[in-house]
Amino acid sequence: MPRRLPRCKVVTWFSALLLLALSFTAARIYVAFHLSDKYSLEGEAGNSSAEFLKEFVWPSNEPIVELALEIAKKPKIPPLLSNMRSIDESKLPYKCGIIFFYHIACTGGASMNHWLGKQVKHNGPHASYWTSWGRHDGRERKFIDGMNNQTKKIGPNEWRAVHAHGYSYFPNASEAYLYQWREEVESQGCAFVVTTMLRDAIGHTISQTKGMIKPNLTLDEFMSHMEPENYNQRGIFERGAFVTQLDYLLYNMGPRNEYNATKEEKVRRAVELLQRHFDVLLLSDYDRFTDIIHKITGWSPTTMKQANVFDGDLNYSYAELQKIKHLTEANGDTMFIDAVKHLYYGHLEHLVS
């Protein structure tokens, strides 16, 4: 005959399980809200302080350093739906403009980039494509000079697709240019549409580890720069070949987290950049991306085909997968994607309504 637990123990175990479930739910909700726990919902400017300027410092010889300093004084933006950029669908399609695609490695960006090039060819003489990227320091200056030209003299029915990738643009330090380029394009009566694609945080890290196969590195060697104490380092390759989504959005392929900011501050800053500048942000949603771009531009639709697909095998032990998970979380990427899911996809919204 099966042994029965005393009623008091059953209640105790049930209470413990219920408390554990509620704690997990609360922790998930906390991810979406704790980023603004130091800032009022009205976005008061009380924290545009020396700490903020230290993390996002600008070289004194930059031509738009005054604009950059003005931006540094802006209030920190709480992660709220009301602070997100939006597109007025009643005004679509826009007659002219620039699609600025910020390509984060291992998010399907190669497929999106090829598709943009295909769209330009498919939609005639009033569409063009431009990119300037590489794997060496100094590329950003060339990209900025090129972008300054791209934003000028846009035709009344012209669309220009711009692709920013490795070393071409560093959003964290060079944010002021996004303001400048948007102002220049919109002053011509055209649209400046900034977009990027993200994906599951741990899946992205696993995808990046394919880069350790050719040089025959161990997982410990490949991910050594991700250890929390190794901030201000690039990836195992001198050119910074392994960069998480959060770090790519902030630092591109440069050294990660030069001033040793907390993961909470990194996520807050990344969400702030998204809310200030990114008009179209999606999570592994390529059909929706093509549909949105078609509506914005009025281009004739074409399908997106996969590009740069890895067809090998990635095999890891349980301990190795736990390490990938731990370092991805410690860097702030899991928190970052959770915040994006909540803000842009209404994740867990039913629990806080």
Side-chain angles (χ1 to χ4, degrees), residues 192-237:
F192 186 68
V193 181
V194 182
T195 182
T196 193
M197 184 70 71
L198 300 169
R199 60 179 290 186
D200 171 73
I202 295 173
H204 180 265
T205 303
I206 291 174
S207 177
Q208 290 272 28
T209 60
K210 64 182 181 286
M212 72 184 194
I213 296 174
K214 188 174 181 180
N216 195 28
L217 300 171
T218 66
L219 186 69
D220 287 344
E221 290 171 333
F222 186 73
M223 299 191 69
S224 62
H225 73 296
M226 288 285 291
E227 298 289 350
E229 66 272 15
N230 291 339
Y231 64 91
N232 195 22
Q233 291 188 15
R234 302 176 190 263
I236 191 70
F237 307 107

mmCIF file of all heavy atoms in Angstrom, residues 192-237:
data_model
loop_
_atom_site.group_PDB
_atom_site.id
_atom_site.type_symbol
_atom_site.label_atom_id
_atom_site.label_comp_id
_atom_site.label_asym_id
_atom_site.label_seq_id
_atom_site.Cartn_x
_atom_site.Cartn_y
_atom_site.Cartn_z
ATOM 1 N N PHE A 192 14.191 58.262 -42.492
ATOM 2 C CA PHE A 192 15.433 57.598 -42.078
ATOM 3 C C PHE A 192 15.020 56.433 -41.188
ATOM 4 O O PHE A 192 14.577 56.633 -40.052
ATOM 5 C CB PHE A 192 16.325 58.574 -41.325
ATOM 6 C CG PHE A 192 17.697 58.026 -40.987
ATOM 7 C CD1 PHE A 192 18.615 57.768 -41.999
ATOM 8 C CD2 PHE A 192 18.067 57.778 -39.673
ATOM 9 C CE1 PHE A 192 19.881 57.283 -41.712
ATOM 10 C CE2 PHE A 192 19.328 57.289 -39.372
ATOM 11 C CZ PHE A 192 20.243 57.039 -40.389
ATOM 12 N N VAL A 193 15.129 55.212 -41.707
ATOM 13 C CA VAL A 193 14.621 54.021 -41.031
ATOM 14 C C VAL A 193 15.799 53.163 -40.577
ATOM 15 O O VAL A 193 16.528 52.602 -41.399
ATOM 16 C CB VAL A 193 13.702 53.206 -41.967
ATOM 17 C CG1 VAL A 193 13.161 51.979 -41.243
ATOM 18 C CG2 VAL A 193 12.568 54.083 -42.479
ATOM 19 N N VAL A 194 15.989 53.080 -39.268
ATOM 20 C CA VAL A 194 17.083 52.288 -38.699
ATOM 21 C C VAL A 194 16.521 50.948 -38.248
ATOM 22 O O VAL A 194 15.488 50.885 -37.573
ATOM 23 C CB VAL A 194 17.730 53.023 -37.509
ATOM 24 C CG1 VAL A 194 18.902 52.207 -36.950
ATOM 25 C CG2 VAL A 194 18.201 54.405 -37.929
ATOM 26 N N THR A 195 17.192 49.870 -38.619
ATOM 27 C CA THR A 195 16.682 48.536 -38.317
ATOM 28 C C THR A 195 17.810 47.568 -37.973
ATOM 29 O O THR A 195 18.957 47.767 -38.385
ATOM 30 C CB THR A 195 15.871 47.988 -39.513
ATOM 31 O OG1 THR A 195 15.347 46.696 -39.176
ATOM 32 C CG2 THR A 195 16.741 47.859 -40.762
ATOM 33 N N THR A 196 17.466 46.526 -37.211
ATOM 34 C CA THR A 196 18.401 45.440 -36.933
ATOM 35 C C THR A 196 17.595 44.198 -36.596
ATOM 36 O O THR A 196 16.379 44.259 -36.390
ATOM 37 C CB THR A 196 19.372 45.784 -35.793
ATOM 38 O OG1 THR A 196 20.445 44.828 -35.773
ATOM 39 C CG2 THR A 196 18.679 45.762 -34.430
ATOM 40 N N MET A 197 18.272 43.054 -36.541
ATOM 41 C CA MET A 197 17.650 41.787 -36.183
ATOM 42 C C MET A 197 18.406 41.192 -34.991
ATOM 43 O O MET A 197 19.640 41.238 -34.940
ATOM 44 C CB MET A 197 17.688 40.801 -37.359
ATOM 45 C CG MET A 197 16.973 39.491 -37.111
ATOM 46 S SD MET A 197 15.167 39.644 -37.031
ATOM 47 C CE MET A 197 14.761 39.974 -38.751
ATOM 48 N N LEU A 198 17.659 40.649 -34.029
ATOM 49 C CA LEU A 198 18.232 39.968 -32.879
ATOM 50 C C LEU A 198 17.712 38.533 -32.838
ATOM 51 O O LEU A 198 16.832 38.165 -33.611
ATOM 52 C CB LEU A 198 17.865 40.708 -31.587
ATOM 53 C CG LEU A 198 18.347 42.160 -31.477
ATOM 54 C CD1 LEU A 198 17.702 42.850 -30.282
ATOM 55 C CD2 LEU A 198 19.865 42.232 -31.380
ATOM 56 N N ARG A 199 18.232 37.741 -31.902
ATOM 57 C CA ARG A 199 17.780 36.360 -31.759
ATOM 58 C C ARG A 199 17.951 35.913 -30.313
ATOM 59 O O ARG A 199 18.454 36.670 -29.477
ATOM 60 C CB ARG A 199 18.571 35.424 -32.689
ATOM 61 C CG ARG A 199 20.049 35.398 -32.434
ATOM 62 C CD ARG A 199 20.801 34.463 -33.350
ATOM 63 N NE ARG A 199 20.532 33.063 -33.082
ATOM 64 C CZ ARG A 199 21.153 32.048 -33.680
ATOM 65 N NH1 ARG A 199 22.071 32.308 -34.598
ATOM 66 N NH2 ARG A 199 20.867 30.802 -33.392
ATOM 67 N N ASP A 200 17.536 34.687 -30.024
ATOM 68 C CA ASP A 200 17.698 34.141 -28.680
ATOM 69 C C ASP A 200 19.143 34.272 -28.220
ATOM 70 O O ASP A 200 20.080 33.982 -28.976
ATOM 71 C CB ASP A 200 17.278 32.670 -28.686
ATOM 72 C CG ASP A 200 17.607 31.968 -27.397
ATOM 73 O OD1 ASP A 200 16.930 32.224 -26.390
ATOM 74 O OD2 ASP A 200 18.585 31.180 -27.390
ATOM 75 N N ALA A 201 19.336 34.688 -26.958
ATOM 76 C CA ALA A 201 20.678 35.034 -26.475
ATOM 77 C C ALA A 201 21.622 33.833 -26.448
ATOM 78 O O ALA A 201 22.742 33.894 -26.977
ATOM 79 C CB ALA A 201 20.581 35.660 -25.081
ATOM 80 N N ILE A 202 21.208 32.745 -25.831
ATOM 81 C CA ILE A 202 22.098 31.592 -25.699
ATOM 82 C C ILE A 202 22.293 30.920 -27.058
ATOM 83 O O ILE A 202 23.402 30.487 -27.396
ATOM 84 C CB ILE A 202 21.542 30.610 -24.657
ATOM 85 C CG1 ILE A 202 21.551 31.281 -23.279
ATOM 86 C CG2 ILE A 202 22.361 29.311 -24.626
ATOM 87 C CD1 ILE A 202 20.878 30.498 -22.187
ATOM 88 N N GLY A 203 21.242 30.866 -27.859
ATOM 89 C CA GLY A 203 21.379 30.323 -29.210
ATOM 90 C C GLY A 203 22.384 31.119 -30.034
ATOM 91 O O GLY A 203 23.134 30.553 -30.834
ATOM 92 N N HIS A 204 22.409 32.435 -29.820
ATOM 93 C CA HIS A 204 23.369 33.275 -30.542
ATOM 94 C C HIS A 204 24.795 32.947 -30.123
ATOM 95 O O HIS A 204 25.690 32.842 -30.965
ATOM 96 C CB HIS A 204 23.076 34.747 -30.274
ATOM 97 C CG HIS A 204 24.009 35.686 -30.972
ATOM 98 N ND1 HIS A 204 25.135 36.213 -30.373
ATOM 99 C CD2 HIS A 204 23.999 36.183 -32.241
ATOM 100 C CE1 HIS A 204 25.762 36.995 -31.228
ATOM 101 N NE2 HIS A 204 25.096 37.005 -32.371
ATOM 102 N N THR A 205 25.038 32.776 -28.832
ATOM 103 C CA THR A 205 26.383 32.431 -28.365
ATOM 104 C C THR A 205 26.814 31.087 -28.925
ATOM 105 O O THR A 205 27.955 30.913 -29.374
ATOM 106 C CB THR A 205 26.438 32.402 -26.827
ATOM 107 O OG1 THR A 205 26.017 33.675 -26.324
ATOM 108 C CG2 THR A 205 27.858 32.135 -26.339
ATOM 109 N N ILE A 206 25.913 30.102 -28.904
ATOM 110 C CA ILE A 206 26.226 28.783 -29.462
ATOM 111 C C ILE A 206 26.568 28.910 -30.940
ATOM 112 O O ILE A 206 27.530 28.303 -31.430
ATOM 113 C CB ILE A 206 25.051 27.816 -29.248
ATOM 114 C CG1 ILE A 206 24.904 27.492 -27.757
ATOM 115 C CG2 ILE A 206 25.245 26.531 -30.049
ATOM 116 C CD1 ILE A 206 23.683 26.654 -27.418
ATOM 117 N N SER A 207 25.801 29.719 -31.667
ATOM 118 C CA SER A 207 26.074 29.917 -33.086
ATOM 119 C C SER A 207 27.458 30.510 -33.303
ATOM 120 O O SER A 207 28.165 30.130 -34.244
ATOM 121 C CB SER A 207 25.009 30.831 -33.690
ATOM 122 O OG SER A 207 25.282 31.107 -35.047
ATOM 123 N N GLN A 208 27.868 31.428 -32.439
ATOM 124 C CA GLN A 208 29.182 32.048 -32.571
ATOM 125 C C GLN A 208 30.310 31.040 -32.384
ATOM 126 O O GLN A 208 31.397 31.208 -32.950
ATOM 127 C CB GLN A 208 29.337 33.164 -31.533
ATOM 128 C CG GLN A 208 28.472 34.386 -31.795
ATOM 129 C CD GLN A 208 29.172 35.391 -32.700
ATOM 130 O OE1 GLN A 208 30.004 35.039 -33.531
ATOM 131 N NE2 GLN A 208 28.826 36.652 -32.547
ATOM 132 N N THR A 209 30.081 29.990 -31.593
ATOM 133 C CA THR A 209 31.183 29.068 -31.278
ATOM 134 C C THR A 209 31.649 28.266 -32.492
ATOM 135 O O THR A 209 32.698 27.622 -32.418
ATOM 136 C CB THR A 209 30.776 28.089 -30.161
ATOM 137 O OG1 THR A 209 29.642 27.308 -30.574
ATOM 138 C CG2 THR A 209 30.447 28.833 -28.880
ATOM 139 N N LYS A 210 30.918 28.325 -33.589
ATOM 140 C CA LYS A 210 31.429 27.655 -34.795
ATOM 141 C C LYS A 210 32.752 28.268 -35.238
ATOM 142 O O LYS A 210 33.534 27.650 -35.960
ATOM 143 C CB LYS A 210 30.404 27.726 -35.916
ATOM 144 C CG LYS A 210 30.089 29.119 -36.426
ATOM 145 C CD LYS A 210 29.030 29.087 -37.514
ATOM 146 C CE LYS A 210 28.717 30.474 -38.049
ATOM 147 N NZ LYS A 210 27.917 31.260 -37.094
ATOM 148 N N GLY A 211 33.000 29.512 -34.773
ATOM 149 C CA GLY A 211 34.244 30.184 -35.139
ATOM 150 C C GLY A 211 35.479 29.584 -34.504
ATOM 151 O O GLY A 211 36.600 29.929 -34.877
ATOM 152 N N MET A 212 35.317 28.681 -33.524
ATOM 153 C CA MET A 212 36.499 28.097 -32.879
ATOM 154 C C MET A 212 36.963 26.819 -33.574
ATOM 155 O O MET A 212 37.998 26.259 -33.224
ATOM 156 C CB MET A 212 36.205 27.791 -31.409
ATOM 157 C CG MET A 212 35.286 26.622 -31.169
ATOM 158 S SD MET A 212 34.922 26.436 -29.408
ATOM 159 C CE MET A 212 34.203 24.803 -29.381
ATOM 160 N N ILE A 213 36.206 26.369 -34.585
ATOM 161 C CA ILE A 213 36.531 25.093 -35.231
ATOM 162 C C ILE A 213 37.797 25.196 -36.068
ATOM 163 O O ILE A 213 38.726 24.402 -35.922
ATOM 164 C CB ILE A 213 35.347 24.632 -36.105
ATOM 165 C CG1 ILE A 213 34.130 24.351 -35.216
ATOM 166 C CG2 ILE A 213 35.728 23.405 -36.916
ATOM 167 C CD1 ILE A 213 32.867 24.023 -35.996
ATOM 168 N N LYS A 214 37.864 26.202 -36.940
ATOM 169 C CA LYS A 214 38.994 26.299 -37.865
ATOM 170 C C LYS A 214 40.327 26.498 -37.152
ATOM 171 O O LYS A 214 41.309 25.830 -37.489
ATOM 172 C CB LYS A 214 38.749 27.427 -38.876
ATOM 173 C CG LYS A 214 39.771 27.468 -39.995
ATOM 174 C CD LYS A 214 39.382 28.503 -41.043
ATOM 175 C CE LYS A 214 40.381 28.525 -42.184
ATOM 176 N NZ LYS A 214 40.005 29.532 -43.211
ATOM 177 N N PRO A 215 40.412 27.376 -36.134
ATOM 178 C CA PRO A 215 41.695 27.469 -35.417
ATOM 179 C C PRO A 215 41.883 26.382 -34.367
ATOM 180 O O PRO A 215 42.888 26.369 -33.669
ATOM 181 C CB PRO A 215 41.625 28.858 -34.769
ATOM 182 C CG PRO A 215 40.183 29.149 -34.634
ATOM 183 C CD PRO A 215 39.479 28.431 -35.729
ATOM 184 N N ASN A 216 40.880 25.477 -34.254
ATOM 185 C CA ASN A 216 40.976 24.337 -33.332
ATOM 186 C C ASN A 216 41.180 24.799 -31.886
ATOM 187 O O ASN A 216 42.105 24.361 -31.196
ATOM 188 C CB ASN A 216 42.111 23.403 -33.754
ATOM 189 C CG ASN A 216 42.012 22.044 -33.064
ATOM 190 O OD1 ASN A 216 40.910 21.602 -32.720
ATOM 191 N ND2 ASN A 216 43.141 21.405 -32.862
ATOM 192 N N LEU A 217 40.300 25.653 -31.426
ATOM 193 C CA LEU A 217 40.361 26.153 -30.060
ATOM 194 C C LEU A 217 39.442 25.350 -29.155
ATOM 195 O O LEU A 217 38.446 24.771 -29.606
ATOM 196 C CB LEU A 217 39.925 27.624 -30.017
ATOM 197 C CG LEU A 217 40.738 28.610 -30.841
ATOM 198 C CD1 LEU A 217 40.045 29.962 -30.869
ATOM 199 C CD2 LEU A 217 42.141 28.752 -30.257
ATOM 200 N N THR A 218 39.751 25.322 -27.887
ATOM 201 C CA THR A 218 38.832 24.764 -26.908
ATOM 202 C C THR A 218 37.768 25.810 -26.590
ATOM 203 O O THR A 218 37.956 27.003 -26.848
ATOM 204 C CB THR A 218 39.555 24.373 -25.619
ATOM 205 O OG1 THR A 218 40.046 25.579 -24.978
ATOM 206 C CG2 THR A 218 40.724 23.442 -25.904
ATOM 207 N N LEU A 219 36.680 25.374 -25.997
ATOM 208 C CA LEU A 219 35.627 26.316 -25.622
ATOM 209 C C LEU A 219 36.145 27.326 -24.599
ATOM 210 O O LEU A 219 35.826 28.510 -24.656
ATOM 211 C CB LEU A 219 34.416 25.568 -25.057
ATOM 212 C CG LEU A 219 33.195 26.443 -24.754
ATOM 213 C CD1 LEU A 219 32.580 26.959 -26.044
ATOM 214 C CD2 LEU A 219 32.155 25.677 -23.945
ATOM 215 N N ASP A 220 36.979 26.862 -23.663
ATOM 216 C CA ASP A 220 37.543 27.770 -22.662
ATOM 217 C C ASP A 220 38.384 28.861 -23.321
ATOM 218 O O ASP A 220 38.325 30.036 -22.932
ATOM 219 C CB ASP A 220 38.403 26.995 -21.661
ATOM 220 C CG ASP A 220 37.571 26.158 -20.707
ATOM 221 O OD1 ASP A 220 36.353 26.410 -20.615
ATOM 222 O OD2 ASP A 220 38.129 25.257 -20.061
ATOM 223 N N GLU A 221 39.172 28.481 -24.319
ATOM 224 C CA GLU A 221 40.002 29.462 -25.025
ATOM 225 C C GLU A 221 39.138 30.435 -25.815
ATOM 226 O O GLU A 221 39.373 31.648 -25.799
ATOM 227 C CB GLU A 221 40.968 28.741 -25.968
ATOM 228 C CG GLU A 221 42.059 27.965 -25.262
ATOM 229 C CD GLU A 221 42.857 27.100 -26.218
ATOM 230 O OE1 GLU A 221 42.305 26.686 -27.265
ATOM 231 O OE2 GLU A 221 44.042 26.824 -25.928
ATOM 232 N N PHE A 222 38.131 29.913 -26.494
ATOM 233 C CA PHE A 222 37.298 30.740 -27.354
ATOM 234 C C PHE A 222 36.495 31.764 -26.559
ATOM 235 O O PHE A 222 36.267 32.875 -27.016
ATOM 236 C CB PHE A 222 36.352 29.853 -28.154
ATOM 237 C CG PHE A 222 35.546 30.590 -29.189
ATOM 238 C CD1 PHE A 222 36.138 31.048 -30.350
ATOM 239 C CD2 PHE A 222 34.191 30.827 -28.995
ATOM 240 C CE1 PHE A 222 35.407 31.728 -31.308
ATOM 241 C CE2 PHE A 222 33.452 31.508 -29.942
ATOM 242 C CZ PHE A 222 34.057 31.954 -31.103
ATOM 243 N N MET A 223 36.078 31.389 -25.349
ATOM 244 C CA MET A 223 35.207 32.244 -24.561
ATOM 245 C C MET A 223 35.924 32.937 -23.410
ATOM 246 O O MET A 223 35.272 33.551 -22.558
ATOM 247 C CB MET A 223 34.027 31.432 -24.013
ATOM 248 C CG MET A 223 33.164 30.811 -25.097
ATOM 249 S SD MET A 223 31.609 30.132 -24.447
ATOM 250 C CE MET A 223 30.739 31.643 -23.987
ATOM 251 N N SER A 224 37.245 32.891 -23.387
ATOM 252 C CA SER A 224 37.978 33.451 -22.249
ATOM 253 C C SER A 224 37.707 34.933 -22.047
ATOM 254 O O SER A 224 37.640 35.421 -20.914
ATOM 255 C CB SER A 224 39.487 33.216 -22.422
ATOM 256 O OG SER A 224 39.965 33.884 -23.580
ATOM 257 N N HIS A 225 37.526 35.685 -23.130
ATOM 258 C CA HIS A 225 37.279 37.123 -23.003
ATOM 259 C C HIS A 225 35.911 37.424 -22.404
ATOM 260 O O HIS A 225 35.644 38.562 -22.006
ATOM 261 C CB HIS A 225 37.395 37.809 -24.366
ATOM 262 C CG HIS A 225 36.245 37.533 -25.286
ATOM 263 N ND1 HIS A 225 35.964 36.268 -25.757
ATOM 264 C CD2 HIS A 225 35.285 38.340 -25.800
ATOM 265 C CE1 HIS A 225 34.904 36.316 -26.530
ATOM 266 N NE2 HIS A 225 34.465 37.560 -26.577
ATOM 267 N N MET A 226 35.050 36.413 -22.318
ATOM 268 C CA MET A 226 33.719 36.615 -21.764
ATOM 269 C C MET A 226 33.685 36.475 -20.246
ATOM 270 O O MET A 226 32.674 36.780 -19.615
ATOM 271 C CB MET A 226 32.746 35.595 -22.373
ATOM 272 C CG MET A 226 32.389 35.860 -23.804
ATOM 273 S SD MET A 226 31.237 37.233 -23.948
ATOM 274 C CE MET A 226 29.786 36.476 -23.224
ATOM 275 N N GLU A 227 34.766 36.006 -19.667
ATOM 276 C CA GLU A 227 34.809 35.929 -18.211
ATOM 277 C C GLU A 227 34.645 37.345 -17.660
ATOM 278 O O GLU A 227 35.248 38.296 -18.172
ATOM 279 C CB GLU A 227 36.132 35.327 -17.740
ATOM 280 C CG GLU A 227 36.387 33.901 -18.213
ATOM 281 C CD GLU A 227 35.492 32.874 -17.531
ATOM 282 O OE1 GLU A 227 34.811 33.245 -16.550
ATOM 283 O OE2 GLU A 227 35.466 31.722 -17.992
ATOM 284 N N PRO A 228 33.814 37.521 -16.616
ATOM 285 C CA PRO A 228 33.500 38.874 -16.126
ATOM 286 C C PRO A 228 34.721 39.735 -15.831
ATOM 287 O O PRO A 228 34.695 40.952 -16.034
ATOM 288 C CB PRO A 228 32.695 38.590 -14.854
ATOM 289 C CG PRO A 228 32.046 37.271 -15.110
ATOM 290 C CD PRO A 228 33.051 36.479 -15.908
ATOM 291 N N GLU A 229 35.824 39.107 -15.360
ATOM 292 C CA GLU A 229 37.000 39.913 -15.023
ATOM 293 C C GLU A 229 37.776 40.365 -16.260
ATOM 294 O O GLU A 229 38.664 41.219 -16.165
ATOM 295 C CB GLU A 229 37.930 39.123 -14.104
ATOM 296 C CG GLU A 229 38.583 37.897 -14.730
ATOM 297 C CD GLU A 229 37.748 36.635 -14.608
ATOM 298 O OE1 GLU A 229 36.544 36.759 -14.287
ATOM 299 O OE2 GLU A 229 38.293 35.537 -14.836
ATOM 300 N N ASN A 230 37.448 39.825 -17.423
ATOM 301 C CA ASN A 230 38.190 40.150 -18.645
ATOM 302 C C ASN A 230 37.485 41.191 -19.497
ATOM 303 O O ASN A 230 37.415 41.086 -20.718
ATOM 304 C CB ASN A 230 38.427 38.884 -19.469
ATOM 305 C CG ASN A 230 39.391 37.930 -18.802
ATOM 306 O OD1 ASN A 230 40.182 38.338 -17.950
ATOM 307 N ND2 ASN A 230 39.329 36.663 -19.160
ATOM 308 N N TYR A 231 36.916 42.213 -18.859
ATOM 309 C CA TYR A 231 36.327 43.301 -19.626
ATOM 310 C C TYR A 231 37.442 44.064 -20.343
ATOM 311 O O TYR A 231 38.623 43.879 -20.060
ATOM 312 C CB TYR A 231 35.521 44.228 -18.715
ATOM 313 C CG TYR A 231 36.341 44.954 -17.673
ATOM 314 C CD1 TYR A 231 36.890 46.198 -17.935
ATOM 315 C CD2 TYR A 231 36.569 44.384 -16.421
ATOM 316 C CE1 TYR A 231 37.658 46.855 -16.987
ATOM 317 C CE2 TYR A 231 37.331 45.036 -15.463
ATOM 318 C CZ TYR A 231 37.868 46.272 -15.751
ATOM 319 O OH TYR A 231 38.629 46.923 -14.820
ATOM 320 N N ASN A 232 37.067 44.905 -21.274
ATOM 321 C CA ASN A 232 38.022 45.683 -22.075
ATOM 322 C C ASN A 232 38.915 44.781 -22.925
ATOM 323 O O ASN A 232 40.066 45.085 -23.175
ATOM 324 C CB ASN A 232 38.884 46.589 -21.190
ATOM 325 C CG ASN A 232 39.610 47.666 -21.993
ATOM 326 O OD1 ASN A 232 39.194 48.000 -23.096
ATOM 327 N ND2 ASN A 232 40.700 48.185 -21.457
ATOM 328 N N GLN A 233 38.383 43.643 -23.349
ATOM 329 C CA GLN A 233 39.122 42.750 -24.239
ATOM 330 C C GLN A 233 38.291 42.460 -25.476
ATOM 331 O O GLN A 233 37.075 42.578 -25.482
ATOM 332 C CB GLN A 233 39.462 41.436 -23.527
ATOM 333 C CG GLN A 233 40.480 41.567 -22.411
ATOM 334 C CD GLN A 233 40.922 40.222 -21.888
ATOM 335 O OE1 GLN A 233 40.686 39.187 -22.518
ATOM 336 N NE2 GLN A 233 41.572 40.220 -20.740
ATOM 337 N N ARG A 234 38.978 42.058 -26.546
ATOM 338 C CA ARG A 234 38.306 41.573 -27.735
ATOM 339 C C ARG A 234 38.189 40.058 -27.622
ATOM 340 O O ARG A 234 38.613 39.458 -26.645
ATOM 341 C CB ARG A 234 39.101 41.930 -28.992
ATOM 342 C CG ARG A 234 39.350 43.420 -29.184
ATOM 343 C CD ARG A 234 40.233 43.624 -30.406
ATOM 344 N NE ARG A 234 40.704 44.992 -30.504
ATOM 345 C CZ ARG A 234 40.149 45.925 -31.244
ATOM 346 N NH1 ARG A 234 39.076 45.642 -31.929
ATOM 347 N NH2 ARG A 234 40.655 47.137 -31.292
ATOM 348 N N GLY A 235 37.619 39.449 -28.674
ATOM 349 C CA GLY A 235 37.542 38.004 -28.708
ATOM 350 C C GLY A 235 38.928 37.386 -28.858
ATOM 351 O O GLY A 235 39.937 38.077 -28.982
ATOM 352 N N ILE A 236 38.972 36.057 -28.874
ATOM 353 C CA ILE A 236 40.246 35.337 -28.928
ATOM 354 C C ILE A 236 41.035 35.700 -30.182
ATOM 355 O O ILE A 236 42.255 35.672 -30.197
ATOM 356 C CB ILE A 236 39.998 33.817 -28.857
ATOM 357 C CG1 ILE A 236 41.311 33.056 -28.634
ATOM 358 C CG2 ILE A 236 39.288 33.325 -30.091
ATOM 359 C CD1 ILE A 236 41.893 33.244 -27.261
ATOM 360 N N PHE A 237 40.319 36.066 -31.262
ATOM 361 C CA PHE A 237 41.001 36.558 -32.456
ATOM 362 C C PHE A 237 41.270 38.046 -32.266
ATOM 363 O O PHE A 237 40.445 38.768 -31.727
ATOM 364 C CB PHE A 237 40.136 36.343 -33.702
ATOM 365 C CG PHE A 237 39.669 34.922 -33.844
ATOM 366 C CD1 PHE A 237 38.356 34.593 -33.603
ATOM 367 C CD2 PHE A 237 40.554 33.928 -34.189
ATOM 368 C CE1 PHE A 237 37.919 33.294 -33.724
ATOM 369 C CE2 PHE A 237 40.135 32.621 -34.315
ATOM 370 C CZ PHE A 237 38.809 32.295 -34.080
#
